[in-house]
Amino acid sequence: MDMAIKTFNLTKKYGTKIGCAEICLRVPRGQIFGFLGPNGAGKSTLVKMLVGLLFPTSGKALLLDRPLGDTGVRARIGFLPENFRYHDWLTGQQLLEFHASLYGLSGTEKKRRVGEVLELVGLAGRERQKIHTYSKGMRQRAGLACALLPDPDLLFLDEPTSALDPIGRRDVREILVSLRASGKTIFLNSHLLSEVELICDAVAFIRQGKIIRQGSLEDLQTGDITVEMKVGNLTREMVNTLSSLARSLEVRENVLMARVKREEDIPRLAEAVVTGGGDLFEMNRKRSTLEEMFIRTTGGGEEIC
Amino acid sequence: MLTMIGITFREGLNRKVLLISLVLAAIFLGLYGTGVHYAAKSFNESPNPMLASVVYPQLLSFGLYFGGFIVSFLAIFSTVGAISSEIETGIIQAIITKPLRRRDYVLGKFLGLGLFLALYSAVFFTVIALIINLKTGLVLEGQWKALGLFALQPVVLLAITLYGSVVFPTIANGVVMFMLYAVAIIGGMVEQIGWLINNAGLQQAGIVTSLVMPVDSLYRKIVHLLLSPADNPLNALQQMGPFGSMAEPSVWMVVYALLYVVFFTGLAVYSFNRKDI
Ligand SMILES: Nc1ncnc2c1ncn2[C@@H]1O[C@H](COP(=O)(O)OP(=O)(O)O)[C@@H](O)[C@H]1O
Ligand SMILES: [Mg+2]
């Protein structure tokens, strides 16, 4: 597959402190890639290396087949920094024109793109206002607009919805999905799983600077199946049978949580309860959502907002 | 890079620093103009050509000295956070990730601010020269060269402050640059005293400081350019005092100042090219 991003053992150390270590990623073109991890895991560090703010301690990376440090390729890359701050004494229009010039756009093309992105992020009509009068959400939209100016093939977004309300978040998701439809690649940093889960094709989990899991959303979600059962007349014998069927079993009074490997194991569980003389009041299959997995893989307990 | 020059220039115009400097300049030039006016008036009423030919040049040097002070103040204040504050606020992150070489970012800052400062100081110089010329009729030699050197003063400070802005946080940079500037000023005075009492130690101390920070010696050179017709018997008297210039800095001092600018701008580019943001 054609890759928009390839990294080879990319490592950044701040002195002796690890920012991120030995990151090997493959992000195919045309996908939305979610980079997930708790705060301080090293997400921003990786993105900053990729967009050229930080110099890697070791390792290599290719963006759109060009090595890091190639300034030419940046005309095809958009970046929304985490702590977006812009010249707030400019108006929205002036800010976008400035960024368009930095992207090398000029004349009518500049005017056209500025108008288009204002429309796209929903700031049309507010472009004559100075940035310092914008709300936080509007600033984030303005930042996104700047990143979209060159109609980039590759877009890096570091926590793009942190300042947005639910409507704003939905708007951003819609923008991202429509960008993907036109073949763009999007690299999305987030500690909000619910965000990523809805739109990403593939994800990687990072914790303490190391990638602990990565893959397509489908692959990652076909893990174990969790089944919750409410059982009356529970006997020790029955629990033993169920444990031998399931990969793990949790018993809380009359509620049982069983994790099984395959779908075919679900009716077996029911059978074991019935033949063992129990009363099966309720049986639910729980999908292993990304969130559960996220908490599992990152060990829970971390600051997950 | 043109984009960077443009935004930097506009930023310079937008800053509070400019307003403060304009107010300071207006107050200063107002007071100065009034002072020169009354001095000229009293000499016109009771002519004393001898005294006038000592006092007028002293008035001129005084004006240029404090004018240089204001221009330097503006140079340091407008440059001190040129890069560091953009790093501190994060504004820089969306800029240097654009298809723009880091070198062009630094040079754009340098040229934008340099243009702004040079224009400001050129206007300042012209106003002082006009006041003196119109009120006292003192004929100034080498005006254009002097104007060039006067505009070079803030550029010298710009170069080293911009470098500081790459390697230090804004506040630390401000402290360091003002200390350097103070060293130059004091060094310049010490050197004048050195010439006055003919003390080689003080003279050398002055020379060393002007190598560290050549702003003050540019000022001394300007005063010489403007007031030094070779056959002027009063020259020594005109150049006396803290604002005068008893020993003319050589042309090499000017060359040194130019190299100084090039060196620190280059160093700023070099350091910035390797900097983690
Ligand atoms: N400039 C820096 N100097 C030292 N440590 C840093 C610096 N930037 C980030 N770190 C550390 O590197 C780790 C990863 O940070 P970061 O990439 O910002 O995490 P995330 O974006 O996932 O929240 C954190 O432990 C953070 O404290
Ligand atoms: Mg981060």
Side-chain angles (χ1 to χ4, degrees), chain A residues 14 17-19 38-45 82:
Chain A
Y14 299 106
K17 197 167 187 297
I18 287 177
N39 288 326
K43 304 181 295 293
S44 299
T45 302
E82 178 173 27

Side-chain angles (χ1 to χ4, degrees), chain A residues 143-253:
Chain A
L144 184 61
C146 287
L148 291 175
L149 275 168
D151 194 18
D153 293 328
L154 176 57
L155 188 59
F156 288 97
L157 304 172
D158 198 348
E159 314 269 4
T161 58
S162 55
L164 295 178
D165 54 24
I167 309 267
R169 289 183 179 184
R170 196 200 55 206
D171 290 351
V172 169
R173 279 200 300 273
E174 279 167 8
I175 294 171
L176 299 186
V177 169
S178 75
L179 286 171
R180 170 174 59 190
S182 57
K184 316 291 186 195
T185 311
I186 298 159
F187 189 97
L188 181 62
N189 264 7
S190 184
H191 63 270
L192 295 168
L193 283 134
S194 46
E195 292 285 290
V196 169
E197 200 172 18
L198 288 167
I199 52 171
C200 286
D201 302 289
V203 292
F205 292 97
I206 180 169
R207 187 184 182 202
Q208 291 174 358
K210 297 220 168 64
I211 290 197
I212 42 187
R213 233 169 141 174
Q214 65 172 310
S216 74
L217 217 53
E218 290 149 26
D219 288 349
L220 289 176
Q221 279 185 334
T222 57
D224 294 340
I225 302 163
T226 307
V227 179
E228 188 189 53
M229 292 177 290
K230 211 171 174 184
V231 181
N233 275 336
L234 198 61
T235 61
R236 175 158 297 277
E237 216 176 309
M238 200 192 302
V239 171
N240 285 341
T241 327
L242 287 169
S243 309
S244 65
L245 282 170
R247 284 160 58 81
S248 77
L249 185 73
E250 249 177 74
V251 186
R252 260 181 277 125
E253 290 178 30

Side-chain angles (χ1 to χ4, degrees), chain A residues 52-194:
Chain A
L53 290 170
L54 296 176
F55 295 99
T57 311
S58 62
K60 284 191 309 177
L62 295 175
L63 299 182
L64 305 170
D65 300 320
R66 310 289 309 168
L68 291 184
D70 182 311
T71 43
V73 76
R74 293 190 192 156
R76 295 159 58 203
I77 295 180
F79 170 49
L80 173 66
E82 178 173 27
N83 301 314
F84 49 97
R85 268 290 300 274
Y86 295 90
H87 299 89
D88 52 15
W89 45 274
L90 294 176
T91 65
Q93 177 84 19
Q94 288 168 337
L95 178 79
L96 285 166
E97 283 177 4
F98 167 60
H99 281 265
S101 307
L102 288 176
Y103 269 122
L105 302 178
S106 58
T108 52
E109 199 193 2
K110 176 155 96 178
K111 281 263 172 311
R112 183 177 59 81
R113 276 308 292 167
V114 169
E116 280 173 9
V117 295
L118 279 168
E119 196 68 46
L120 191 61
V121 301
L123 279 182
R126 316 293 288 272
E127 69 269 21
R128 308 238 163 271
Q129 259 172 270
K130 296 221 168 178
I131 303 285
H132 67 77
T133 67
Y134 280 15
S135 69
K136 225 175 162 231
M138 283 166 76
R139 286 177 201 213
Q140 202 150 39
R141 286 166 192 258
L144 184 61
C146 287
L148 291 175
L149 275 168
D151 194 18
D153 293 328
L154 176 57
L155 188 59
F156 288 97
L157 304 172
D158 198 348
E159 314 269 4
T161 58
S162 55
L164 295 178
D165 54 24
I167 309 267
R169 289 183 179 184
R170 196 200 55 206
D171 290 351
V172 169
R173 279 200 300 273
E174 279 167 8
I175 294 171
L176 299 186
V177 169
S178 75
L179 286 171
R180 170 174 59 190
S182 57
K184 316 291 186 195
T185 311
I186 298 159
F187 189 97
L188 181 62
N189 264 7
S190 184
H191 63 270
L192 295 168
L193 283 134
S194 46

